[in-house]
Amino acid sequence: FRRVLFRSQKVRKTMTPSFLKGLVHCGSCNVLMHQTCSNKKGLQYRYYTCSNHLKYKSCEASQHTFPAEIIEKRVVEEIIRILKSPEVVMSLNRLAERRKDVSKADLMTAIKNLNDVWNFLYQAEQRKIVHMLINKIVIQENGIKIDLNLEDFESLIMQLA
């Protein structure tokens, strides 16, 4: 009886959850991409894979799987690049003038130290920031397209300051 019970229990792989969950789409068929993983020689490799490909449905892309680490790194680099752009800095100056609870210096320090701060955030905090700033990420064989949501930008900056 114990053997039957043991066999019927599903073995689940533990996988680091992605802070991009629900945002990454296939550039060819426009469906969500799911995080998948493989384990080789004691190391875990994470990927984003087209849902249609996983379900054996039609997807015209020649590449269906992309390394998660590379995608996540590029998305974070793009977010930081955008947050440090001159347009954003000007918006921060205007925000500091309108609001009395935060100074220009505090806002500029928050943006200047964004790279360092990002690495110390918990994954739940990173996910919250990413989901506030990004509507959709489209992965294509020739690159990544990020559709930004700048409506929540002010509230995000106030949290970082």
Side-chain angles (χ1 to χ4, degrees):
F1 178 71
R2 288 183 192 175
R3 287 183 188 169
V4 173
L5 180 64
F6 181 72
R7 287 183 195 160
S8 68
Q9 294 175 345
K10 291 183 180 180
V11 177
R12 295 183 183 184
K13 291 182 181 179
T14 57
M15 183 173 21
T16 305
S18 170
F19 62 88
L20 299 179
K21 183 177 181 179
L23 295 175
V24 182
H25 292 75
C26 175
S28 178
C29 59
N30 201 31
V31 300
L32 275 176
M33 297 183 84
H34 291 286
Q35 184 178 334
T36 58
C37 73
S38 65
N39 295 306
K40 295 179 184 171
K41 297 183 181 178
L43 296 175
Q44 185 179 74
Y45 299 92
R46 297 180 305 112
Y47 303 94
Y48 287 103
T49 304
C50 174
S51 298
N52 280 344
H53 179 71
L54 288 173
K55 296 175 185 176
Y56 303 104
K57 293 183 179 179
S58 175
C59 177
E60 295 180 11
S62 60
Q63 184 177 354
H64 304 285
T65 302
F66 298 86
E69 185 177 338
I70 293 171
I71 301 299
E72 292 165 359
K73 181 180 177 188
R74 287 189 184 161
V75 168
V76 169
E77 286 171 352
E78 184 66 12
I79 289 171
I80 290 172
R81 185 190 67 76
I82 290 166
L83 291 177
K84 289 184 173 185
S85 69
E87 298 87 4
V88 171
V89 172
M90 287 174 37
S91 296
L92 291 175
N93 284 328
R94 287 191 300 270
L95 175 65
E97 290 170 2
R98 285 193 328 254
R99 302 207 36 165
K100 303 298 181 201
D101 57 337
V102 65
S103 70
K104 284 184 185 181
D106 290 341
L107 289 174
M108 293 305 123
T109 301
I111 293 299
K112 182 181 175 185
N113 297 328
L114 199 54
N115 293 38
D116 298 329
V117 170
W118 182 265
N119 294 326
F120 289 103
L121 294 174
Y122 290 111
Q123 193 164 34
E125 294 168 323
Q126 290 176 344
R127 180 183 170 116
K128 181 179 177 182
I129 291 169
V130 167
H131 281 259
M132 285 176 74
L133 281 179
I134 296 177
N135 290 324
K136 184 177 185 179
I137 300 166
V138 179
I139 300 180
Q140 299 170 326
E141 294 161 13
N142 60 351
I144 300 171
K145 179 183 168 192
I146 301 173
D147 179 23
L148 293 172
N149 171 24
L150 295 178
E151 293 174 14
D152 291 332
F153 178 71
E154 184 175 324
S155 62
L156 171 65
I157 293 302
M158 294 309 295
Q159 289 178 17
L160 290 174

